[in-house]
Amino acid sequence: MREQMEFVQNFPCFSIMLCMFAGIISSALKGKAAKMVNMAVLCINILMSAAVLLFAAYAGEFYVYVMGKFPAPWGNELRVGVLEAGMALFFCVIMLLSLMGGRHKLAQEVEAGKHGLYYILTDLMLSSLLALIYTNDLFTAYVFVEINTISACGLIMIRQNGRTIEAAVRYMIMSLLGSGLFLIGLCMLYDMTGHLLMSNIRQEVADIYAASSAGGSFHVPLLVTIALISVGLAIKSALFPFHAWLPDAYGYSTVSSAAILSSLVSKGYIFLLFKIIYRVIGFDAFRSSKIIDVLFVFGLMGMVFGSLSAIKENDVRRMIAFSSIAQIGYIYMGIGLGTQVGMVASVFHVLSHAATKSLLFIAAIGLTDVSGGSRKLIELTGSGYRNKIAGATFLVGALSMVGVPMFSGFISKLLFAQAAVQNDVKMLPTLIVLGISTVLNAIYFMKTAIRIYTPVEDTGYPTVTWRQNKTYAAALVCFMALNVVLGVFSQPIVDLIGLGLDMFA
Amino acid sequence: MGNNLFTNYGEAVAMVLFVIGFGNLLLQSNLIKKIIGLNIMDTAVYLFLAEKGYIRGRVAPIVVNGVQSVEAYINPVPSGLVLTGIVVSVSVSALMLSLTIRLYQRYHTLDLDEISLRLKKEGL
């Protein structure tokens, strides 16, 4: 049964193991050495994921990597296709850039003895994200969801003040509610199907689904299971009514943590949901359940209310955090459309939002630094002149979020609109809310962009050039380049996503 | 439906416990009560799994006296899942408790709403 394996095919397993061992080794290292290990691991992971991506794109089909001795129905396995490899590559790049961009702030934000700890947490976070991306086993996914939650909580509270601890507690509580629902859902799924591997469950679910449309008895349990799993993951990724923990958690943690949390952690859960929709439940069964409409409505509400809260906000970090809620709403709206095109749009928006939101957090810190550390919008007046590169980057991020052509946000809005047209019932609400949300986005992002470029008389704040902090400037330039690449060369990426989703099922 | 409920009373109890735990974790404002709710919720899941894995009249799959027939043993997978789940919930509870201690040292209360109120007043 086992064919000759290419060496490249081992890389997904290697990358997960590498991150884990890096975390373990880092616990015995000093801050500086832990940083080097972390950088090395990230770079190696980028190379390995790129190799896997090339391999999968070239082979044109997914492959299964058996973990350990036992084959399919019993053992544990990884499953790798274009989308998984691409997502892993993208997550590693974003994480590297976020850490680079926030490095100079870390010394102020985190107590001196705890820098090593920070890098342990990021290593663990990366390993759990990669495992969530690659695993083909539901219970393994659950365990790594919890590891992800714990490391995310650590990343929030490593900056010790009352706000962050309270935010971490609230984050933990919501996450635990979500993972509780996810756990009971997957136990019920195991109970109905007798399998834990996603592909095997899929066959059984297809049988149940066929029987239930003929009047079989497992229709209600299947529906309940789908509801529990989707709501559990929606809570964890901060879909609209479950978002209360988010602004504090993103607004007061260290800047790298905020960038990583907003762009990667919530996306890991969303990616898991994609995987469950396609590989466990089956797209048809998911579409015919009512759950998809619930996700759709919550997505739409999130798009509007997230933006409204962002408009009212006076603190730039919290404003960006509230904007995350709106963007998560977009992603769930794409899922809710129930078409392949909608899913492609959602996956693209995962990439686009991850690239843009981390950029905004990193750029905002450069602007607040030249405004006396204050995060109030009024203090930021003219800061775009005091730190030119951060100002330019913030402008790129804002334009991308609003949906100006050339940037990634435009492409995802275009894809969403195209997807909406294919669904007769949901077309009108989608297009209307998309329009409203774009206007609202424009209000608060353009307001901020204009404010940072309003010339002021001498404020006494220092002016910073890119030469003073080259790592930060390099990270910002890379972010801008990434954003423009996503916006300009979108067609090959969209094709790859489509190919990857076909391999997914 | 009513019949099924009676034969599967273990699962029914597990579901009731799950809802109790979930409600406590969500609605209590006292942090310790929240953590108790979390533990009830997790334990309910383990009860559910154990009920599902157990088959009346059979024993744990440890080969003694050379009995190797599949008929003699229960399904071991749910037991394995319960063990893994217990490890996860222990570590999560420990983390929650340590966070609670931190908050208590700072604000001398366990009431999460009151802590939020004071944070607003501090206006960081």
Side-chain angles (χ1 to χ4, degrees), chain B residues 10-108:
Chain B
E11 285 87 338
V13 170
M15 284 303 137
V16 171
L17 281 175
F18 183 86
V19 172
I20 292 174
F22 190 85
N24 269 310
L25 180 55
L26 183 65
L27 301 174
Q28 290 284 358
S29 65
N30 185 313
L31 281 166
I32 298 293
K33 287 183 184 167
K34 268 188 194 294
I35 296 169
I36 292 172
L38 163 72
N39 279 301
I40 294 174
M41 184 176 85
D42 281 346
T43 315
V45 178
Y46 309 144
L47 175 63
F48 180 78
L49 277 172
E51 277 288 334
K52 281 296 159 197
Y54 182 68
I55 304 169
R56 191 169 288 276
R58 301 192 187 178
V59 292
I62 302 164
V63 178
V64 266
N65 308 328
V67 184
Q68 296 216 350
S69 144
V70 181
E71 303 295 311
Y73 301 121
I74 63 165
N75 179 3
V77 177
S79 320
L81 298 187
V82 169
L83 276 179
T84 319
I86 286 175
V87 174
V88 170
S89 76
V90 164
S91 48
V92 169
S93 314
L95 181 60
M96 275 299 281
L97 284 169
S98 66
L99 282 171
T100 310
I101 293 172
R102 270 289 157 84
L103 274 181
Y104 187 77
Q105 281 172 346
R106 222 171 247 271
Y107 297 102
H108 301 289

Side-chain angles (χ1 to χ4, degrees), chain A residues 114-147:
Chain A
K114 291 192 173 157
H115 288 159
L117 212 55
Y118 192 79
Y119 291 108
I120 297 173
L121 288 169
T122 46
D123 288 335
L124 285 180
M125 161 79 62
L126 188 62
S127 85
S128 63
L129 281 172
L130 290 173
L132 281 183
I133 289 174
Y134 285 127
T135 185
N136 198 22
D137 181 288
L138 264 184
F139 207 79
T140 311
Y142 166 71
V143 173
F144 279 99
V145 160
E146 292 288 26
I147 295 178

Side-chain angles (χ1 to χ4, degrees), chain A residues 174-439:
Chain A
M174 285 318 272
S175 282
L176 290 173
L177 290 171
S179 39
L181 290 179
F182 180 66
L183 178 61
I184 193 85
L186 90 85
C187 290
M188 284 164 80
L189 207 57
Y190 172 70
D191 168 33
M192 277 189 289
T193 59
H195 289 292
L196 284 171
L197 282 181
M198 298 188 182
S199 321
N200 297 66
I201 297 177
R202 167 91 196 268
Q203 292 160 7
E204 298 288 329
V205 168
D207 288 348
I208 293 174
Y209 179 63
S212 73
S213 37
S217 58
F218 278 105
H219 182 64
V220 176
L222 186 63
L223 208 63
V224 171
T225 310
I226 298 175
L228 287 172
I229 290 179
S230 355
V231 171
L233 288 174
I235 292 178
K236 291 186 80 84
S237 54
L239 181 60
F240 162 63
F242 318 113
H243 66 276
W245 55 269
L246 187 143
D248 281 357
Y250 292 3
Y252 299 103
S253 51
T254 69
V255 55
S256 296
S257 304
I260 291 171
L261 285 167
S262 64
S263 53
L264 303 184
V265 175
S266 51
K267 302 303 180 303
Y269 303 132
I270 292 174
F271 191 81
L272 183 63
L273 183 63
F274 284 141
K275 208 146 93 164
I276 286 172
I277 289 171
Y278 271 92
R279 202 176 289 166
V280 179
I281 299 164
F283 196 53
D284 291 324
F286 185 74
R287 184 164 46 194
S288 63
S289 73
K290 298 281 181 292
I291 314 303
I292 194 164
D293 301 328
V294 177
L295 291 183
F296 179 71
V297 171
F298 282 161
L300 290 185
M301 283 159 69
M303 284 161 69
V304 176
F305 287 103
S307 301
L308 283 177
S309 314
I311 288 177
K312 280 187 285 187
E313 197 51 61
N314 225 344
D315 173 329
V316 67
R317 285 271 297 271
R318 282 173 64 95
M319 185 195 84
I320 303 173
F322 271 117
S323 150
S324 275
I325 297 163
Q327 306 301 323
I328 299 282
Y330 277 82
I331 295 170
Y332 276 96
M333 179 200 75
I335 297 174
L337 285 172
T339 54
Q340 176 87 9
V341 196
M343 293 301 268
V344 171
S346 284
V347 177
F348 189 84
H349 196 64
V350 166
L351 301 179
S352 142
H353 176 234
T356 316
K357 195 47 54 92
S358 42
L359 171 149
L360 281 169
F361 274 118
I362 301 286
I365 203 73
L367 296 177
T368 52
D369 274 356
V370 291
S371 310
S374 166
R375 299 137 48 128
K376 294 271 176 293
L377 283 176
I378 188 103
E379 293 291 321
L380 290 179
T381 315
S383 56
Y385 297 109
R386 296 197 288 271
N387 188 345
K388 291 216 171 60
I389 186 151
T393 314
F394 191 90
L395 190 64
V396 167
L399 291 177
S400 169
M401 278 285 147
V402 173
V404 172
M406 288 281 289
F407 301 113
S408 60
F410 171 71
I411 303 294
S412 42
K413 285 202 170 121
L414 185 69
L415 289 172
F416 278 125
Q418 282 172 348
V421 177
Q422 291 194 359
N423 187 323
D424 297 335
V425 186
K426 291 173 182 167
M427 177 178 80
L428 204 59
T430 311
L431 291 180
I432 291 173
V433 175
L434 207 57
I436 296 176
S437 168
T438 306
V439 172

Side-chain angles (χ1 to χ4, degrees), chain A residues 491-503:
Chain A
Q491 199 51 48
I493 299 169
V494 172
D495 291 342
L496 264 186
I497 292 172
L499 183 68
L501 281 179
D502 288 337
M503 280 186 205

Side-chain angles (χ1 to χ4, degrees), chain A residues 3-211:
Chain A
E3 295 155 33
Q4 188 64 40
M5 292 251 292
E6 297 281 339
F7 185 65
V8 183
Q9 289 177 281
N10 293 308
F11 282 1
C13 174
F14 286 175
S15 52
I16 298 171
M17 292 297 165
L18 188 68
C19 300
M20 267 197 173
F21 284 116
I24 296 168
I25 292 167
S26 298
S27 61
L29 296 177
K30 288 265 184 319
K32 196 125 196 177
K35 182 181 100 182
M36 297 316 283
V37 169
N38 181 266
M39 291 285 276
V41 164
L42 276 166
C43 292
I44 295 170
N45 265 330
I46 289 172
L47 292 179
M48 289 205 291
S49 311
V52 177
L53 176 62
L54 282 179
F55 176 81
Y58 184 69
E61 57 181 7
F62 69 88
Y63 68 87
V64 167
Y65 183 87
V66 181
M67 301 283 283
K69 196 174 108 185
F70 296 102
W74 303 285
N76 200 337
E77 57 188 35
L78 305 178
R79 194 171 131 162
V80 185
V82 172
L83 197 55
E84 286 94 330
M87 213 43 116
L89 172 63
F90 188 76
F91 278 14
C92 293
V93 170
I94 293 281
M95 190 169 243
L96 181 65
L97 291 180
S98 306
L99 285 172
M100 269 168 65
R103 178 148 302 147
H104 66 291
K105 289 296 287 180
L106 210 60
Q108 303 165 24
E109 288 169 331
V110 179
E111 285 170 39
K114 291 192 173 157
H115 288 159
L117 212 55
Y118 192 79
Y119 291 108
I120 297 173
L121 288 169
T122 46
D123 288 335
L124 285 180
M125 161 79 62
L126 188 62
S127 85
S128 63
L129 281 172
L130 290 173
L132 281 183
I133 289 174
Y134 285 127
T135 185
N136 198 22
D137 181 288
L138 264 184
F139 207 79
T140 311
Y142 166 71
V143 173
F144 279 99
V145 160
E146 292 288 26
I147 295 178
N148 203 348
T149 308
I150 292 172
S151 51
C153 182
L155 283 180
I156 296 172
M157 61 168 281
I158 195 139
R159 183 181 188 192
Q160 296 273 347
N161 61 37
R163 278 278 195 187
T164 52
I165 299 176
E166 193 240 355
V169 167
R170 287 201 182 273
Y171 174 76
M172 241 1 229
I173 290 164
M174 285 318 272
S175 282
L176 290 173
L177 290 171
S179 39
L181 290 179
F182 180 66
L183 178 61
I184 193 85
L186 90 85
C187 290
M188 284 164 80
L189 207 57
Y190 172 70
D191 168 33
M192 277 189 289
T193 59
H195 289 292
L196 284 171
L197 282 181
M198 298 188 182
S199 321
N200 297 66
I201 297 177
R202 167 91 196 268
Q203 292 160 7
E204 298 288 329
V205 168
D207 288 348
I208 293 174
Y209 179 63

